[in-house]
Amino acid sequence: MDKIIFLGTSAGMPTLKRNVPALAMVFKPGDEFWLFDCGEGTQRQILQSNLKLSRLSNIFISHLHGDHTFGLPGLLATRGLLGVKKSVNIFGPVGLDSYLNNNMDYTRTHIPYSQHLFPIEKERFLAPNLLWEKENISVYCAALNHNIDSFGFAIIKKHIQKNILIDKLLDINIPPGPIYKKFKEDETVELEDGRILKSSDFVKETITIKKVCYCGDTTFSKNAVSLSEGADLLIHEATFSTHCKEKAIRSFHSTVGDAIEVARLAKVKKLALTHISPRYDDLANSPEKYTEFRELDEKLSSDSPEIILAEDLMELEI
Ligand SMILES: [Zn+2]
């Protein structure tokens, strides 16, 4: 992943400033993107970004509550109306398949591309477990604590950089030229003088790993901590201000303090707070000080994560 776009950062219902939850993870080159949750109106938020529905390949739904799912049937239908033929993978809690199928049946909606549904069974994800992988990307999933099955996702992308050991090649009289490229591409390289060399002896591979974790609705969760261990970015719900701990527990949600606690225990580099209750829409005059984490942030030690308050259509480079 190379970029995150917050498409909706409100909780429960949209406000004038924030739409209901959705998040895009964009991959370069090609701008393929994955969608995490799909609240009502997500397709309209997408229109305000540079995202193209034809480049959408994977959809992950954290849980079945309406503010995270009411936008999905419409988005899938529009993707069909636009003539997109490329298939899409949809990962979500058990029940998402009947929710979508019934919706399509009752509304007589025909989807002209294949949808591969992968039901997430809680029993398999009582602790973080591999959900899906392809080439250099793995997706891990873990059950969180909500009043309905709810899951967090960790996306790990490996990037392999190949560097030519120039000195070693010069030592055996191979000067820089197009032949150097072959060492990066082929297993063996045959020289004009007949010598055959093993590329691995002349190339050093450096592997860098990027990790992003998205935790949908939950109270403080140990699984969220282990899932996001060492992440470059943790996107965590923070429905309530730290003062509203009781309200948060009653509704199975997190406070700003809970999200910070997860981020600190998991030693993540950056924390983005999202899923913000409409009661804080007017942050300056909100009933409780939602942004007081900023003062708290200054008091935290230097190994604490950078904390960002997500806004709709905000983009974060990874
Ligand atoms: Zn929920």
Side-chain angles (χ1 to χ4, degrees):
M1 77 300 292
D2 302 288
K3 189 166 74 175
I4 296 292
I5 305 178
F6 293 92
L7 295 168
T9 57
S10 184
M13 62 179 86
T15 71
L16 283 173
K17 286 184 184 162
R18 299 178 185 275
N19 200 41
V20 275
L23 181 81
M25 185 175 279
V26 190
F27 297 86
K28 289 205 169 96
D31 287 343
E32 175 189 337
F33 81 98
W34 295 1
L35 186 66
F36 292 81
D37 286 335
C38 190
E40 183 186 354
T42 296
Q43 50 173 325
R44 204 154 181 278
Q45 296 290 86
I46 286 176
L47 287 175
Q48 297 194 65
S49 70
N50 287 327
L51 299 167
K52 299 269 172 291
L53 281 180
S54 55
R55 312 251 160 89
L56 170 62
S57 54
N58 281 341
I59 299 171
F60 299 85
I61 299 295
S62 65
H63 66 298
L64 293 179
H65 278 156
D67 54 331
H68 295 249
T69 54
F70 285 154
L72 187 53
L75 179 138
L76 294 173
T78 299
R79 195 173 180 271
L81 290 173
L82 289 170
V84 180
K85 293 282 183 282
K86 206 178 128 207
S87 65
V88 71
N89 295 325
I90 305 172
F91 303 82
V94 173
L96 181 64
D97 46 352
S98 15
Y99 165 72
L100 285 175
N101 292 337
N102 283 326
N103 206 302
M104 299 306 170
D105 281 353
Y106 281 116
T107 56
R108 302 276 192 277
T109 303
H110 170 67
I111 302 287
Y113 52 85
S114 20
Q115 307 157 78
H116 305 296
L117 269 146
F118 297 83
I120 303 176
E121 286 157 357
K122 192 176 178 180
E123 297 66 39
R124 262 193 70 208
F125 299 97
L126 296 175
N129 201 357
L130 183 69
L131 175 67
W132 187 78
E133 66 182 337
K134 189 187 169 189
E135 292 156 16
N136 56 341
I137 301 185
S138 313
V139 180
Y140 287 81
C141 173
L144 304 174
N145 297 322
H146 199 41
N147 53 0
I148 184 175
D149 285 357
S150 183
F151 300 93
F153 304 99
I155 297 83
I156 298 171
K157 185 180 174 189
K158 245 193 230 172
H159 177 71
I160 302 169
Q161 169 115 26
K162 290 184 175 182
N163 296 309
I164 299 282
L165 300 172
I166 298 173
D167 288 348
K168 223 173 157 185
L169 286 170
L170 290 175
D171 282 351
I172 54 166
N173 299 321
I174 305 174
I179 191 101
Y180 274 31
K181 214 176 151 208
K182 288 195 166 207
F183 283 95
K184 283 190 178 182
E185 290 165 355
D186 304 333
E187 268 179 41
T188 53
V189 176
E190 187 172 356
L191 302 177
E192 277 177 3
D193 60 15
R195 281 184 289 169
I196 295 175
L197 301 175
K198 243 173 79 187
S199 294
S200 55
D201 292 338
F202 300 93
V203 171
K204 190 179 170 224
E205 286 191 349
T206 322
I207 299 174
T208 47
I209 289 174
K210 291 280 178 194
K211 179 172 176 180
V212 174
C213 186
Y214 169 59
C215 290
D217 292 10
T218 185
T219 55
F220 174 84
S221 155
K222 282 185 183 165
N223 266 355
V225 176
S226 31
L227 192 67
S228 57
E229 191 72 54
D232 296 278
L233 171 66
L234 165 64
I235 300 150
H236 197 288
E237 78 120 298
T239 311
F240 294 103
S241 72
T242 309
H243 304 277
C244 293
K245 182 77 179 167
E246 269 180 36
K247 259 187 213 131
I249 289 174
R250 249 184 283 132
S251 57
F252 291 86
H253 282 297
S254 293
T255 63
V256 171
D258 292 329
I260 293 177
E261 186 65 1
V262 171
R264 292 179 67 190
L265 290 171
K267 296 187 168 50
V268 309
K269 294 194 183 89
K270 204 182 267 188
L271 166 68
L273 305 171
T274 189
H275 200 272
I276 294 143
S277 166
R279 60 169 48 218
Y280 307 113
D281 209 33
D282 181 4
L283 279 172
N285 300 304
S286 68
E288 303 94 14
K289 287 182 188 155
Y290 189 88
T291 51
E292 84 175 357
F293 69 86
R294 289 201 176 115
E295 290 99 74
L296 177 71
D297 196 19
E298 281 163 21
K299 287 185 214 140
L300 296 174
S301 55
S302 56
D303 60 350
S304 296
E306 179 191 345
I307 305 170
I308 296 161
L309 184 59
E311 304 289 344
D312 281 21
L313 302 174
M314 178 193 268
E315 299 192 4
L316 283 183
E317 298 289 331
I318 310 294

